[in-house]
Amino acid sequence: MADHHTATPPAARPPSLVVVIDRHDDVIHTHTALAAHHLPSGRITLHPGPGTTSETGLAHDLLAALGKPPLLTGRFPAGRQPAWEAAAAWMTALPVTRLTVLRAHRLTARRIMRLLELRALTGIHLTLVCHRPHLPAALH
């Protein structure tokens, strides 16, 4: 007898990318996202460090959220530390299924692209929380 698996129809699957507009920067949204962080269940919440604008800095914040050392030991070519590759590897190995990013309205277009590439590579569900009344230009 053949084993039949029922696939979830595309319309029934939740979207793999969600943008939440926290119009009034309500603290309950931040607390809820931080409380949802539970690595054993595959859910992580990333609260990017203030004042950090680099792509590598965001990868370091992500590694820290994964409970891994943000600074990799070893020698790497000038200007290239494989922090994003390490984050993707850890997300796949653990395995992480959901990533929520707070303060997404402060992310540059390049940092958002890095997160979208990570989503495509790992298959995670990505939620970006913007604590502003309108979607920032970088997220359009």
Side-chain angles (χ1 to χ4, degrees):
M1 178 174 194
D3 186 14
H4 291 82
H5 296 283
T6 306
T8 305
R13 277 187 233 132
S16 62
L17 174 64
V18 172
V19 177
V20 175
I21 302 294
D22 176 12
R23 182 174 308 278
H24 301 291
D25 195 8
D26 193 343
V27 71
I28 192 71
H29 289 101
T30 301
H31 286 194
T32 301
L34 291 172
H37 179 94
H38 190 249
L39 192 54
S41 298
R43 295 185 316 265
I44 60 170
T45 301
L46 174 59
H47 199 192
T52 309
T53 58
S54 75
E55 293 171 58
T56 302
L58 185 62
H60 290 171
D61 288 344
L62 182 53
L63 285 165
L66 289 164
K68 302 303 172 192
L71 298 176
L72 305 172
T73 58
R75 301 177 92 185
F76 305 101
R80 187 180 185 291
Q81 189 182 31
W84 281 101
E85 290 89 341
W90 279 115
M91 289 179 78
T92 302
L94 287 173
V96 173
T97 57
R98 302 181 72 82
L99 171 60
T100 300
V101 181
L102 295 168
R103 304 280 161 214
H105 62 278
R106 291 187 166 177
L107 297 176
T108 62
R110 290 189 56 83
R111 294 171 92 192
I112 291 168
M113 287 307 297
R114 280 293 200 160
L115 289 170
L116 293 175
E117 290 167 4
L118 185 67
R119 187 193 103 217
L121 183 65
T122 63
I124 59 166
H125 177 286
L126 178 61
T127 300
L128 301 174
V129 183
C130 296
H131 304 272
R132 293 287 183 268
H134 304 288
L135 196 63
L139 280 172
H140 280 283

